[in-house]
Amino acid sequence: LCGQRGALQNTSIMRVRDTKIFLVSAYHDQREAGQSTRIIGIANRYEPDVLSCHFCCRGHSEILTVTASTYIHSDHFDFPYGTADFLCMEPLDCEPGHVSVQRMRTIPDEEEAEWVFMPVRNRLYMPPIFTQEFSVCISTLFGNYSNVLQFVQAIEMYRILGAGRVTVYNTSCSSELNKVLLYYIKTGLVEVVQWPITDYVQVSKGWHYPEHPGELHYYGQIAALNDCVYRHMYSTRYLVLTDIDEVIIPLKHTNWKDLIQYLNDKYGADIYMFENHVFPYTVSEEFGSKFQAWNAIPGVNIMRHIRREPNQPEVFNPTKMILNPRAVLQTSVHSTLNALGISETVPGDTAIMHHYRSPERPDLPLDSLVVDLTLWRYNATLIRNVNKVLNRVFWNEHFNP
């Protein structure tokens, strides 16, 4: 590594020395500004610093230095910290393998030994070789997340609908949920990125400052989503950005592949947005002994929640997305911020997002809720798959994938 100088990144988040800037990952990106390295991070918007990129070039022992351009994402919801891109033009005749980011200043030579270098990813993935048709990004698990049953049901629905990989950003979860994660990691379906954001900044449990206290929006969700877009840039044809309590369900098709083919034929877009529909936890149906085996599993059984709140046309309704990651430069939670392609909101008679959560309008009478049995089209496969996972994780400790 550059003549044995410095150390390799060994955490998913790290601080730039003497700054209030935190780095997540570095990716080669030639789509907009030529041959450049895009570093995804989190920065204090009120205390900016000029940064420099120090490149280790393959086949060379010297370090080449350039000044970084900083771009704070526009969706920071007024919190002091926001997601940021640090863009560094790659030097001519340099194929960067690693980069270290430092505050711009005169640097004594002996300090180079203390630098931490990040791998520059995505350089070897042109042209794209898709190992997955659909991948899913889940950000973030926090607060000792323990909703085991709903987690397994969501992951199995993603699998049924066509996902081949699910990336989960994990700040904290229960021991039971961790067993589930370890099982899915062994199968190859789930990749877990440890997300210790609470070690660095005071995070908010809400979405807007100052009503929701904290320095950074919702456990650094936007930084995690942007990392996930670049992480899967050249390995998956389509990427689904959603939360673990959400599932995008087609109404005219049975899987995401057929849905996207239909949407591409009709709209030819790169980013499809799906409207949110709340299925409140507070209203559930009884199905006799059908789910008796799940009673001992902590969490919500989404199959018992078949009534959703009617949407209000005059009220903003958030969306989640299925997108072509190669068309995205920056994303927020409900839409992209900077994209090379076009976006389209999908009509509610084609597909919607099921959101299983606490009610948005708890005072609605029962007869005003919409009975929606769409999820039950998948009931046989879903129940079988969930039982298989629970059996191997909790009811049978002998498992070899």
Side-chain angles (χ1 to χ4, degrees):
L1 179 65
C2 280
Q4 306 302 312
R5 287 174 287 184
L8 285 174
Q9 178 185 9
N10 60 7
T11 61
S12 57
I13 303 171
M14 61 183 188
R15 181 194 295 269
V16 177
R17 184 203 300 234
D18 300 327
T19 72
K20 293 186 176 181
I21 294 171
F22 307 95
L23 306 180
V24 177
S25 48
Y27 296 93
H28 175 72
D29 191 358
Q30 62 184 30
R31 295 170 299 161
E32 188 180 43
Q35 302 291 333
S36 60
T37 293
R38 183 184 299 267
I39 297 148
I40 296 169
I42 296 165
N44 188 301
R45 299 187 296 116
Y46 302 113
E47 299 184 36
D49 269 296
V50 178
L51 302 182
S52 53
C53 286
H54 306 270
F55 286 108
C56 281
C57 307
R58 299 182 193 276
H60 299 281
S61 60
E62 69 272 17
I63 294 175
L64 300 183
T65 300
V66 299
T67 303
S69 300
T70 300
Y71 302 92
I72 304 288
H73 289 213
S74 57
D75 263 13
H76 44 68
F77 302 102
D78 294 326
F79 286 95
Y81 282 84
T83 301
D85 291 340
F86 306 99
L87 208 60
C88 295
M89 297 301 296
E90 296 171 357
L92 294 175
D93 302 320
C94 172
E95 183 182 336
H98 295 82
V99 62
S100 181
V101 179
Q102 305 294 327
R103 187 181 185 187
M104 180 69 82
R105 58 191 176 88
T106 302
I107 302 169
D109 291 342
E110 59 268 20
E111 279 194 17
E112 291 182 2
E114 301 175 14
W115 289 357
V116 177
F117 285 84
M118 315 169 73
V120 179
R121 307 179 192 274
N122 286 357
R123 190 168 190 94
L124 303 179
Y125 298 103
M126 294 292 291
I129 301 174
F130 300 127
T131 58
Q132 307 295 341
E133 194 71 17
F134 291 90
S135 297
V136 180
C137 297
I138 301 295
S139 66
T140 60
L141 304 184
F142 59 86
N144 200 37
Y145 181 87
S146 59
N147 193 345
V148 173
L149 184 54
Q150 183 170 350
F151 182 92
V152 174
Q153 290 175 327
I155 297 294
E156 292 306 319
M157 276 305 304
Y158 302 151
R159 190 205 300 265
I160 291 168
L161 290 166
R165 176 60 63 92
V166 181
T167 298
V168 177
Y169 290 76
N170 179 33
T171 297
S172 68
C173 68
S174 69
S175 58
E176 291 89 353
L177 199 285
N178 193 58
K179 290 179 181 179
V180 173
L181 291 176
L182 292 174
Y183 164 81
Y184 276 125
I185 291 169
K186 287 181 181 179
T187 68
L189 177 62
V190 168
E191 168 193 30
V192 174
V193 178
Q194 298 302 332
W195 190 250
I197 188 65
T198 51
D199 294 345
Y200 299 93
V201 295
Q202 182 184 351
V203 297
S204 173
K205 295 181 180 179
W207 72 275
H208 192 261
Y209 185 86
E211 302 95 283
H212 304 106
E215 298 177 306
L216 177 66
H217 166 265
Y218 210 63
Y219 286 82
Q221 178 185 33
I222 297 176
L225 287 174
N226 279 272
D227 175 70
C228 201
V229 167
Y230 281 85
R231 181 178 293 262
H232 291 286
M233 183 76 65
Y234 301 116
S235 63
T236 189
R237 195 178 301 275
Y238 293 102
L239 195 59
V240 183
L241 303 188
T242 184
D243 289 338
I244 195 61
D245 57 359
E246 299 166 340
V247 184
I248 295 171
I249 302 285
L251 300 180
K252 297 179 178 179
H253 310 87
T254 59
N255 58 66
W256 287 337
K257 185 175 182 179
D258 292 343
L259 168 65
I260 293 299
Q261 182 62 59
Y262 169 81
L263 294 175
N264 285 342
D265 290 343
K266 187 169 184 177
Y267 301 109
D270 299 283
I271 299 136
Y272 293 106
M273 300 183 292
F274 300 84
E275 291 188 345
N276 176 62
H277 289 259
V278 172
F279 289 71
Y281 285 159
T282 52
V283 180
S284 62
E285 312 298 323
E286 296 298 332
F287 292 92
S289 60
K290 190 174 186 68
F291 303 117
Q292 186 173 352
W294 296 351
N295 289 343
I297 304 299
V300 173
N301 178 4
I302 64 174
M303 299 193 71
R304 294 183 58 210
H305 301 279
I306 62 171
R307 298 175 188 266
R308 57 179 166 86
E309 297 179 3
N311 282 354
Q312 304 174 84
E314 72 280 4
V315 176
F316 170 75
N317 186 25
T319 59
K320 292 296 172 69
M321 296 174 281
I322 299 179
L323 51 80
N324 167 7
R326 294 159 299 284
V328 177
L329 297 170
Q330 296 177 338
T331 191
S332 186
V333 180
H334 304 298
S335 62
T336 58
L337 298 178
N338 189 359
L340 303 174
I342 60 174
S343 300
E344 187 71 42
T345 300
V346 176
D349 62 353
T350 302
I352 64 173
M353 185 183 73
H354 288 213
H355 193 175
Y356 298 93
R357 50 157 289 174
S358 57
E360 280 192 342
R361 291 183 284 163
D363 297 330
L364 284 175
L366 183 64
D367 60 6
S368 70
L369 300 179
V370 179
V371 175
D372 188 332
L373 292 168
T374 313
L375 185 73
W376 274 80
R377 293 186 303 175
Y378 306 93
N379 81 90
T381 305
L382 179 58
I383 292 172
R384 182 176 64 248
N385 289 4
V386 170
N387 282 336
K388 177 181 176 182
V389 174
L390 297 179
N391 181 62
R392 290 184 168 176
V393 175
F394 298 109
W395 304 327
N396 177 6
E397 295 188 2
H398 301 289
F399 165 61
N400 291 302

